[in-house]
Amino acid sequence: MCTEDSYMVKQSIAIKSSFIHFLNETNMVFIPKGILWVEDGKVKALAPEDELILQLPKNIKIQDYTGKLVLPGFVDGHVHAVQTQAIASYGKQLLDWLETYTFPLEQRFEDPSFALPAIQFFFNQLLKNGTTTAAIFPSKHVDATAILFKEALRLNMRIVAGKTSMDRNAPEGLCDTTSMSFQENEALIEEFNQKGRLNYALTPRFAITSTDEQLSALSKIKKNRPNIAVQTHLSENIDEIETTKKLFPSSKNYLDIYDSKGFLGKGSLMAHAIYLEEQEWERLAETQTSIVHCPTSNLFLGSGLFNMKKCRDYNIPLALGSDVGGGLSFSMLKTAAEAYKIAALQNIEFTARNAFYLLTLGGAKALNQDAYIGNFEVGKEADFVVLDTGSTELMQKRLSNTDDIDEILFVLMMLGDERNIHSVYLKGK
Ligand code: GUN
Ligand code: ZN
């Protein structure tokens, strides 16, 4: 029988390992022999082992990951939960790929018995790859979206998501009416927003698949609930931009379509942003709207090369996104490696520190979740990933001649994948 006292006992665990996290973009903390003390799912302390060991409660469980590297869990800033089975589908470019593979697959999520195992598989892939927080596009279906939220709640995962809204230029089965769009979003917000670690985001797919009326209906929701973010696609592909301009001839530019509806602001997420005009960069900076760079997708779909330097110069919040199924991997390590190559093609510096910042605190900031996650500050939720840098013979060989942490991180970024993910913790479990 439980005594009153045992109800009050706090659940504690201590992790012994090497640790890396960021206090800000330029300040990386590396603790070669440290202890992370987690209490009730939150960070109680992180310090060198010899400082903390004597302060730990007597009977605390100590999990020993000596030889491994512990980082805050990775953030995937843009991923589609309903495209896993369309990954690596041969297509021409974006619009053809959407029509041929993506839309037919997304229609199948109307059936909850198809949606549930597909969404469970999706979350399993995220976690296997060390991703503990993601901004997710489900399909347009209310039941499938509810399944997604319930699964995240069951796993106790911090996510940003919302039903994908479309009402034109897509198969009938994927289109809403304006009033449906309004009512279904409102109902989903009421049921799931801020429940556990769930965050609702209005999710108009992109301007091509929404009429002005639908965008206005979503705009009304946003006005009434200014804290709800918006996620969408922006300026990814040349044909997409041309079509968009024809559909919205009076808009100043692509971004203005979203701006005029009040969709920009902190925590709003614009995926891709490859072909921005100067005014669009300025407006993103002014409103501190986030960009999500999706390198594996941009290469696979032949979309173009994202200009990370410009994004830095304008001080626009940035996350990296896998964009599966346009993207080719759930691994944020692989995603970072492709971001490196896209930067290299443009002679832009992109160090391992830059990459791991974006995968952790930078991504958390872009999603406006940095009050809860992103580093090991005291009080933050203890989502973390235990990395094994020697998971392949090649990596072992390559790293056998260095103990320089920047070099280790760079090799991890360029050669790493899900084999390097030893364990993943959500709120200390
Ligand atoms: N633009 C509109 N929809 C999509 C999508 O599903 N994937 C990508 N990469 N771009 C899009
Ligand atoms: Zn996408």
Side-chain angles (χ1 to χ4, degrees), residues 364-377:
K365 279 183 189 288
L367 272 61
N368 201 17
Q369 300 300 314
D370 55 307
Y372 312 102
I373 55 156
N375 61 14
F376 295 124
E377 258 175 39

PDB file of all heavy atoms in Angstrom, residues 364-377:
ATOM      1  N   ALA A 364      14.094  24.520 -31.786  1.00  0.00           N
ATOM      2  CA  ALA A 364      13.105  24.784 -30.724  1.00  0.00           C
ATOM      3  C   ALA A 364      12.652  26.245 -30.773  1.00  0.00           C
ATOM      4  O   ALA A 364      11.465  26.544 -30.632  1.00  0.00           O
ATOM      5  CB  ALA A 364      13.707  24.453 -29.361  1.00  0.00           C
ATOM      6  N   LYS A 365      13.590  27.146 -31.012  1.00  0.00           N
ATOM      7  CA  LYS A 365      13.230  28.577 -31.110  1.00  0.00           C
ATOM      8  C   LYS A 365      12.342  28.823 -32.331  1.00  0.00           C
ATOM      9  O   LYS A 365      11.361  29.555 -32.251  1.00  0.00           O
ATOM     10  CB  LYS A 365      14.494  29.436 -31.231  1.00  0.00           C
ATOM     11  CG  LYS A 365      15.183  29.721 -29.897  1.00  0.00           C
ATOM     12  CD  LYS A 365      16.391  30.638 -30.127  1.00  0.00           C
ATOM     13  CE  LYS A 365      17.240  30.801 -28.902  1.00  0.00           C
ATOM     14  NZ  LYS A 365      16.636  31.630 -27.847  1.00  0.00           N
ATOM     15  N   ALA A 366      12.714  28.236 -33.460  1.00  0.00           N
ATOM     16  CA  ALA A 366      11.927  28.442 -34.687  1.00  0.00           C
ATOM     17  C   ALA A 366      10.479  27.985 -34.490  1.00  0.00           C
ATOM     18  O   ALA A 366       9.549  28.596 -35.002  1.00  0.00           O
ATOM     19  CB  ALA A 366      12.572  27.714 -35.860  1.00  0.00           C
ATOM     20  N   LEU A 367      10.302  26.912 -33.721  1.00  0.00           N
ATOM     21  CA  LEU A 367       8.947  26.392 -33.457  1.00  0.00           C
ATOM     22  C   LEU A 367       8.300  27.069 -32.250  1.00  0.00           C
ATOM     23  O   LEU A 367       7.210  26.689 -31.829  1.00  0.00           O
ATOM     24  CB  LEU A 367       8.984  24.873 -33.223  1.00  0.00           C
ATOM     25  CG  LEU A 367       8.876  23.970 -34.449  1.00  0.00           C
ATOM     26  CD1 LEU A 367      10.001  24.185 -35.444  1.00  0.00           C
ATOM     27  CD2 LEU A 367       8.841  22.491 -34.043  1.00  0.00           C
ATOM     28  N   ASN A 368       9.001  28.039 -31.681  1.00  0.00           N
ATOM     29  CA  ASN A 368       8.522  28.754 -30.487  1.00  0.00           C
ATOM     30  C   ASN A 368       8.275  27.795 -29.308  1.00  0.00           C
ATOM     31  O   ASN A 368       7.319  27.954 -28.553  1.00  0.00           O
ATOM     32  CB  ASN A 368       7.234  29.530 -30.823  1.00  0.00           C
ATOM     33  CG  ASN A 368       6.971  30.656 -29.838  1.00  0.00           C
ATOM     34  OD1 ASN A 368       7.872  31.074 -29.102  1.00  0.00           O
ATOM     35  ND2 ASN A 368       5.743  31.129 -29.800  1.00  0.00           N
ATOM     36  N   GLN A 369       9.140  26.808 -29.197  1.00  0.00           N
ATOM     37  CA  GLN A 369       9.020  25.829 -28.111  1.00  0.00           C
ATOM     38  C   GLN A 369      10.220  25.883 -27.178  1.00  0.00           C
ATOM     39  O   GLN A 369      10.393  25.012 -26.320  1.00  0.00           O
ATOM     40  CB  GLN A 369       8.886  24.408 -28.694  1.00  0.00           C
ATOM     41  CG  GLN A 369       7.684  24.201 -29.599  1.00  0.00           C
ATOM     42  CD  GLN A 369       6.373  24.453 -28.881  1.00  0.00           C
ATOM     43  OE1 GLN A 369       6.170  23.991 -27.755  1.00  0.00           O
ATOM     44  NE2 GLN A 369       5.474  25.193 -29.507  1.00  0.00           N
ATOM     45  N   ASP A 370      11.053  26.902 -27.324  1.00  0.00           N
ATOM     46  CA  ASP A 370      12.313  26.936 -26.562  1.00  0.00           C
ATOM     47  C   ASP A 370      12.112  27.230 -25.084  1.00  0.00           C
ATOM     48  O   ASP A 370      13.054  27.094 -24.303  1.00  0.00           O
ATOM     49  CB  ASP A 370      13.313  27.920 -27.186  1.00  0.00           C
ATOM     50  CG  ASP A 370      12.735  29.311 -27.333  1.00  0.00           C
ATOM     51  OD1 ASP A 370      11.639  29.433 -27.926  1.00  0.00           O
ATOM     52  OD2 ASP A 370      13.346  30.270 -26.847  1.00  0.00           O
ATOM     53  N   ALA A 371      10.923  27.594 -24.676  1.00  0.00           N
ATOM     54  CA  ALA A 371      10.681  27.726 -23.235  1.00  0.00           C
ATOM     55  C   ALA A 371      10.638  26.343 -22.586  1.00  0.00           C
ATOM     56  O   ALA A 371      10.793  26.217 -21.366  1.00  0.00           O
ATOM     57  CB  ALA A 371       9.363  28.461 -22.991  1.00  0.00           C
ATOM     58  N   TYR A 372      10.433  25.316 -23.405  1.00  0.00           N
ATOM     59  CA  TYR A 372      10.243  23.952 -22.860  1.00  0.00           C
ATOM     60  C   TYR A 372      11.369  22.996 -23.227  1.00  0.00           C
ATOM     61  O   TYR A 372      11.647  22.057 -22.479  1.00  0.00           O
ATOM     62  CB  TYR A 372       8.930  23.366 -23.396  1.00  0.00           C
ATOM     63  CG  TYR A 372       7.769  24.305 -23.274  1.00  0.00           C
ATOM     64  CD1 TYR A 372       7.306  25.026 -24.372  1.00  0.00           C
ATOM     65  CD2 TYR A 372       7.142  24.511 -22.031  1.00  0.00           C
ATOM     66  CE1 TYR A 372       6.252  25.914 -24.253  1.00  0.00           C
ATOM     67  CE2 TYR A 372       6.090  25.394 -21.910  1.00  0.00           C
ATOM     68  CZ  TYR A 372       5.654  26.099 -23.022  1.00  0.00           C
ATOM     69  OH  TYR A 372       4.615  26.982 -22.901  1.00  0.00           O
ATOM     70  N   ILE A 373      11.927  23.166 -24.413  1.00  0.00           N
ATOM     71  CA  ILE A 373      12.913  22.197 -24.933  1.00  0.00           C
ATOM     72  C   ILE A 373      14.071  22.916 -25.617  1.00  0.00           C
ATOM     73  O   ILE A 373      14.067  24.135 -25.740  1.00  0.00           O
ATOM     74  CB  ILE A 373      12.271  21.225 -25.955  1.00  0.00           C
ATOM     75  CG1 ILE A 373      11.587  22.031 -27.078  1.00  0.00           C
ATOM     76  CG2 ILE A 373      11.305  20.263 -25.296  1.00  0.00           C
ATOM     77  CD1 ILE A 373      11.428  21.264 -28.375  1.00  0.00           C
ATOM     78  N   GLY A 374      15.029  22.134 -26.100  1.00  0.00           N
ATOM     79  CA  GLY A 374      16.096  22.694 -26.944  1.00  0.00           C
ATOM     80  C   GLY A 374      17.462  22.641 -26.303  1.00  0.00           C
ATOM     81  O   GLY A 374      18.472  22.599 -26.995  1.00  0.00           O
ATOM     82  N   ASN A 375      17.512  22.675 -24.969  1.00  0.00           N
ATOM     83  CA  ASN A 375      18.799  22.500 -24.287  1.00  0.00           C
ATOM     84  C   ASN A 375      18.553  21.953 -22.873  1.00  0.00           C
ATOM     85  O   ASN A 375      17.415  21.595 -22.528  1.00  0.00           O
ATOM     86  CB  ASN A 375      19.620  23.798 -24.283  1.00  0.00           C
ATOM     87  CG  ASN A 375      18.929  24.932 -23.552  1.00  0.00           C
ATOM     88  OD1 ASN A 375      17.955  24.709 -22.815  1.00  0.00           O
ATOM     89  ND2 ASN A 375      19.411  26.142 -23.757  1.00  0.00           N
ATOM     90  N   PHE A 376      19.627  21.878 -22.083  1.00  0.00           N
ATOM     91  CA  PHE A 376      19.507  21.263 -20.750  1.00  0.00           C
ATOM     92  C   PHE A 376      19.424  22.303 -19.635  1.00  0.00           C
ATOM     93  O   PHE A 376      19.879  22.059 -18.525  1.00  0.00           O
ATOM     94  CB  PHE A 376      20.694  20.316 -20.513  1.00  0.00           C
ATOM     95  CG  PHE A 376      20.705  19.128 -21.440  1.00  0.00           C
ATOM     96  CD1 PHE A 376      21.811  18.863 -22.227  1.00  0.00           C
ATOM     97  CD2 PHE A 376      19.613  18.275 -21.523  1.00  0.00           C
ATOM     98  CE1 PHE A 376      21.837  17.762 -23.086  1.00  0.00           C
ATOM     99  CE2 PHE A 376      19.615  17.176 -22.376  1.00  0.00           C
ATOM    100  CZ  PHE A 376      20.739  16.915 -23.160  1.00  0.00           C
ATOM    101  N   GLU A 377      18.852  23.467 -19.961  1.00  0.00           N
ATOM    102  CA  GLU A 377      18.642  24.459 -18.896  1.00  0.00           C
ATOM    103  C   GLU A 377      17.742  23.856 -17.825  1.00  0.00           C
ATOM    104  O   GLU A 377      16.793  23.130 -18.137  1.00  0.00           O
ATOM    105  CB  GLU A 377      17.931  25.680 -19.481  1.00  0.00           C
ATOM    106  CG  GLU A 377      18.844  26.848 -19.750  1.00  0.00           C
ATOM    107  CD  GLU A 377      18.076  27.966 -20.442  1.00  0.00           C
ATOM    108  OE1 GLU A 377      16.906  28.207 -20.097  1.00  0.00           O
ATOM    109  OE2 GLU A 377      18.676  28.555 -21.347  1.00  0.00           O
TER     110      GLU A 377
END
